[in-house]
Amino acid sequence: MEHKDLNLLNEALGHHNNLYGRFLLLEDSVDTSAAFVLHQILKRSFSSHPSSAVIFLALSNPFSHYDRILRKIGCNLAAQRDNNRFFFIDMLMLQCPDEGKPNHDRFAAVFEKIVRVINTLPQDNKKFVTVMIDDISFLEVAANGSLNDVLDFLHYCYTLTSEYGCAFVALDHKDIYLNEEKPAIILEMEHLADILVKAEPLATGLAKDVHGQLMVLHKQTQHQHGISPVKIHNFHFKIKENSIDCFYPGTKI
Amino acid sequence: MAATRTRVSSFSRNVSTVTSQNSGLKHGPNGTIFLSSGIPDLDKILGGGFSLGSLVMIMEDAEAPHHMLLLRNFMSQGLVHKQPLLYASASSRDPKGFLGTLPAPASSKEEKTRDHTHEKDLRIAWQYKKYFGDPQLNISSNNGAQQDYCNDFDLRKPLDRHYFSGMNVDCLSIQDSSNLSSLQDRCSEFLSQFSSRNEGNISSAGRVAIQSFCSPQCKYADMEWHMLSFIRSLKGMARSSNAVVVVTFPPSLLSPSCSKRFQHMADTLLSVRAIPDEDKEMAKLLTGYQDMVGLLNIHKVARLNTQVPVILEATTFSIKLQKRRYLVLECLNQAPVDGSTGSSYNTSSGCSGSTKAGTLDF
């Protein structure tokens, strides 16, 4: 089991329990989707600890989509949901109306739901909770472009990493913000993130054998043993139905 | 062709049984179901067609109405299959009248002649076929089923009235509406007919075609967040229904970030481009430049229920009209340039010569 999971991506993300108490930001573009990293982390967090739990805020795809994908990777989401280890919060149709209830009430309700879920977990499970958002850009659309509400919500989610020691994983599309003067959301998220994962297409275009490249960046962190330096991992990947192949550029057999 | 037909495995046999139950639908991988785009070549390229529950977005070229070619064929194909259609137009006030311009399916006799000429064209290249182990051929080769699944449309012949005089066609103009709520209501009402998703037993599929969404004639064109949230909710509704939504939009009129957001929302993303009429440089570079109508780019292919991206052999195709009637897509072929092959051999030999010299020096 251990050997099978050992690929460059898992190595780059660090040890199994490494993500707890941290914020991982995923960035991708139209050409190269990074959703597969979410699937990998999802599987990883279930196998990391027997009592770990995942709270998944789905904005771009329904449960059936993730269920099918994860089943092929070797993780049964429906069973995990029945075991109260996987909490799927369907936000596909979440829409904040213009009038009436203000945006922040909607988001506050979602956040309260997350906290409630964490609080219902048994004591020793609380330490191993992962909160995932599958698309931040859809949050902005759901809020009708009200950036402050989205930022507030994301900051609240971020506080979970220190308050409960949760892992917080979020995906956003970098190319949306390229032409904006002050892309507050992506800048602030990049600032907060402990680990940054960027998926990019190859400079030479898409190929059958190489689907893109990943950059995993661990920011400088301070802990009891001193300061760990900035670590950068670069590698290429190929996505398969049941796994992903990661390899250093030019080492693909 | 015969060789590929013998190689077809149980997979395609399965397909044909399904299509016989319900023509116009076809099972794809990962529990998805395809319906035809109305252009046989596009179906082949996409690996079967548009998958049910997906949002297809077509980026328009501001200078040419090539997106209409795709949209017309998509709508016609649906009407031929008696699939309910919702058509919303932002550019005309008379969307019902637009139905009169839809192309009719080619009669079988004409189709035969077309196939014949097609094979003639391929004669030179047929030997190479065996070297491309592409799975797309398998889908095209189950001939019997395919004719039902996807028709060739004759762009010069209007569709028979009886196809769209029935009750299953809904048209509306969104030019005069000041906000998107009426369109949203119509879409959700339409899509709710197909919302029951019992696996394997689908009675019918719906098609939604929205033309020139966010064109400046619409009064909501300056409310980008409204348009974004409309498309997002449309995507959410489509995902839980047995329908395909095709939206064309002009990206040049939107802010770059808004256009990127649309592109991220799309499951399948296409773009069309006109080609200048007398571009001598291009004409020299590409074979068959005279016959090209425009270019089609495939940016993204829907990947429902899977994480594996679809990597195509080519992403740019030329749109051609065969006999001025049938829409065909072809890979771009570089024209042989006079004398260039000889010179390239020369340079390569020169290169090897220099390396030899290098080893001697060493």
Side-chain angles (χ1 to χ4, degrees):
Chain A
M1 227 11 223
E2 280 290 302
H3 277 285
K4 213 177 128 198
D5 282 349
L6 211 67
N7 63 25
L8 279 175
L9 176 61
N10 278 334
E11 218 172 279
L13 291 177
H15 287 295
H16 265 156
N17 294 336
N18 199 31
L19 291 180
Y20 293 110
R22 285 166 175 236
F23 172 30
L24 188 150
L25 181 68
L26 271 166
E27 291 178 352
D28 68 358
S29 59
V30 173
D31 298 318
T32 312
S33 163
F36 73 97
V37 184
L38 280 184
H39 309 146
Q40 292 298 316
I41 295 173
L42 203 56
K43 190 202 171 185
R44 216 176 105 107
S45 43
F46 280 123
S47 53
S48 68
H49 197 271
S51 58
S52 59
V54 176
I55 302 168
F56 198 96
L57 308 185
L59 288 120
S60 66
N61 286 302
F63 180 76
S64 58
H65 174 84
Y66 291 107
D67 189 31
R68 260 182 193 274
I69 290 174
L70 266 290
R71 213 179 295 170
K72 275 178 236 161
I73 301 179
C75 174
N76 191 338
L77 286 187
Q80 301 286 14
R81 189 171 58 171
D82 296 339
N83 292 339
N84 278 335
R85 286 183 65 192
F86 183 64
F87 301 90
F88 191 84
I89 303 179
D90 191 329
M91 294 166 62
L92 246 61
M93 298 306 283
L94 176 93
Q95 187 57 49
C96 300
D98 309 314
E99 301 105 282
K101 239 183 170 184
N103 281 334
H104 51 261
D105 281 6
R106 281 294 173 97
F107 284 133
V110 174
F111 182 70
E112 272 164 27
K113 199 170 172 183
I114 298 172
V115 174
R116 217 175 319 131
V117 167
I118 296 176
N119 281 327
T120 52
L121 290 170
Q123 194 57 45
D124 40 328
N125 294 19
K126 271 184 203 166
K127 283 180 238 154
F128 305 103
V129 178
T130 308
V131 179
M132 294 175 115
I133 301 180
D134 70 354
D135 201 329
I136 290 180
S137 71
F138 277 20
L139 273 182
E140 294 167 58
V141 177
N144 277 322
S146 151
L147 296 185
N148 285 336
D149 291 323
V150 179
L151 277 176
D152 284 350
F153 177 72
L154 292 171
H155 276 285
Y156 272 111
C157 290
Y158 177 68
T159 58
L160 294 172
T161 58
S162 51
E163 198 168 337
Y164 296 93
C166 296
F168 179 38
V169 179
L171 170 73
D172 205 356
H173 308 301
K174 177 91 174 173
D175 50 354
I176 290 176
Y177 309 97
L178 280 179
N179 288 298
E180 278 180 29
E181 257 174 44
K182 189 172 164 284
I185 288 198
I186 197 81
L187 289 180
E188 289 203 23
M189 287 304 112
E190 279 181 359
H191 177 75
L192 289 179
D194 299 300
I195 305 168
L196 206 61
V197 180
K198 289 184 185 181
E200 285 162 352
L202 291 182
T204 48
L206 292 183
K208 267 220 160 102
D209 299 323
V210 186
H211 291 164
Q213 54 190 345
L214 275 182
M215 192 197 78
V216 181
L217 184 140
H218 287 258
K219 286 205 189 147
Q220 207 163 36
T221 47
Q222 212 161 5
H223 49 82
Q224 65 251 40
H225 307 300
I227 300 171
S228 66
V230 181
K231 275 187 283 184
I232 301 179
H233 302 260
N234 279 307
F235 47 86
H236 290 173
F237 62 86
K238 180 186 180 184
I239 308 169
K240 295 197 239 162
E241 287 285 2
N242 55 1
S243 65
I244 49 167
D245 280 350
C246 298
F247 42 89
Y248 289 115
T251 60
K252 176 88 175 159
I253 310 152
Chain B
M1 266 333 239
T4 53
R5 208 175 304 152
T6 49
R7 256 195 282 144
V8 166
S9 63
S10 58
F11 169 70
S12 69
R13 232 177 287 141
N14 210 348
V15 166
S16 57
T17 54
V18 170
T19 40
S20 66
Q21 273 171 18
N22 194 337
S23 75
L25 295 177
K26 185 155 92 172
H27 277 273
N30 305 310
T32 53
I33 297 166
F34 288 128
L35 56 71
S36 170
S37 64
I39 303 169
D41 290 331
L42 186 60
D43 284 352
K44 265 180 245 170
I45 293 163
L46 296 175
F50 296 143
S51 32
L52 289 189
S54 69
L55 170 69
V56 181
M57 299 199 79
I58 301 171
M59 295 195 275
E60 300 171 7
D61 186 337
E63 288 157 17
H66 292 324
H67 58 277
M68 298 305 288
L69 291 173
L70 302 183
L71 204 64
R72 278 203 182 96
N73 277 31
F74 171 75
M75 289 164 69
S76 276
Q77 184 69 70
L79 294 176
V80 167
H81 286 317
K82 300 196 172 54
Q83 288 160 344
L85 171 74
L86 175 68
Y87 170 63
S89 167
S91 61
S92 74
R93 266 162 218 256
D94 177 28
K96 261 241 142 61
F98 178 76
L99 296 177
T101 69
L102 294 181
S107 60
S108 55
K109 191 183 150 204
E110 280 171 288
E111 216 164 325
K112 251 179 217 159
T113 58
R114 190 222 148 165
D115 275 353
H116 190 68
T117 54
H118 205 70
E119 241 157 47
K120 221 183 234 167
D121 288 344
L122 282 174
R123 191 154 293 165
I124 305 161
W126 71 272
Q127 290 189 5
Y128 298 102
K129 268 263 162 74
K130 59 188 171 195
Y131 298 113
F132 305 129
D134 62 340
Q136 291 160 1
L137 264 178
N138 288 349
I139 292 151
S140 66
S141 59
N142 48 35
N143 282 337
Q146 202 224 349
Q147 271 175 10
D148 285 342
Y149 174 69
C150 181
N151 296 83
D152 271 311
F153 286 94
D154 186 342
L155 299 189
R156 292 169 124 193
K157 214 162 69 181
L159 193 65
D160 261 356
R161 252 198 124 61
H162 71 88
Y163 280 118
F164 53 86
S165 53
M167 291 302 286
N168 55 1
V169 183
D170 198 359
C171 294
L172 76 156
S173 168
I174 46 176
Q175 203 173 81
D176 293 325
S177 54
S178 58
N179 60 26
L180 285 160
S181 59
S182 62
L183 179 61
Q184 177 143 15
D185 292 343
R186 288 283 274 278
C187 287
S188 69
E189 190 189 324
F190 180 83
L191 289 172
S192 63
Q193 301 170 50
F194 309 100
S195 64
S196 59
R197 187 140 226 201
N198 34 1
E199 295 279 328
N201 185 25
I202 291 159
S203 51
S204 79
R207 293 178 186 231
V208 178
I210 299 178
Q211 181 215 330
S212 302
F213 184 69
C214 61
S215 75
Q217 289 109 311
C218 308
K219 286 175 185 151
Y220 54 78
D222 53 342
M223 302 189 282
E224 288 192 339
W225 288 108
H226 284 254
M227 297 194 290
L228 281 166
S229 63
F230 169 75
I231 294 291
R232 191 179 91 89
S233 72
L234 197 61
K235 181 184 176 174
M237 288 188 287
R239 198 45 79 82
S240 56
S241 67
N242 297 317
V244 173
V245 179
V246 174
V247 179
T248 72
F249 72 100
S252 50
L253 296 176
L254 296 164
S255 69
S257 71
C258 184
S259 153
K260 274 280 181 238
R261 280 176 201 271
F262 274 133
Q263 296 175 32
H264 274 289
M265 282 182 195
D267 292 306
T268 300
L269 182 66
L270 313 172
S271 73
V272 284
R273 214 152 21 111
I275 48 174
D277 204 19
E278 279 174 39
D279 188 339
K280 295 222 170 92
E281 294 268 299
M282 282 277 269
K284 237 187 254 173
L285 265 162
L286 301 168
T287 51
Y289 182 78
Q290 312 305 329
D291 315 326
M292 284 186 201
V293 180
L295 296 173
L296 174 80
N297 256 311
I298 296 169
H299 301 272
K300 213 157 71 162
V301 181
R303 39 173 154 174
L304 307 183
N305 301 338
T306 179
Q307 62 175 355
V308 181
V310 179
I311 309 286
L312 299 168
E313 299 259 314
T315 53
T316 309
F317 295 87
S318 59
I319 307 172
K320 290 185 183 173
L321 287 182
Q322 202 166 50
K323 294 180 166 182
R324 300 190 173 185
R325 282 166 186 270
Y326 309 107
L327 207 59
V328 290
L329 302 176
E330 278 174 16
C331 278
L332 295 181
N333 289 316
Q334 264 192 347
V337 183
D338 293 332
S340 74
T341 47
S343 69
S344 80
Y345 277 123
N346 281 341
T347 51
S348 70
S349 69
C351 208
S352 64
S354 71
T355 50
K356 261 179 204 159
T359 50
L360 280 176
D361 276 350
F362 192 71

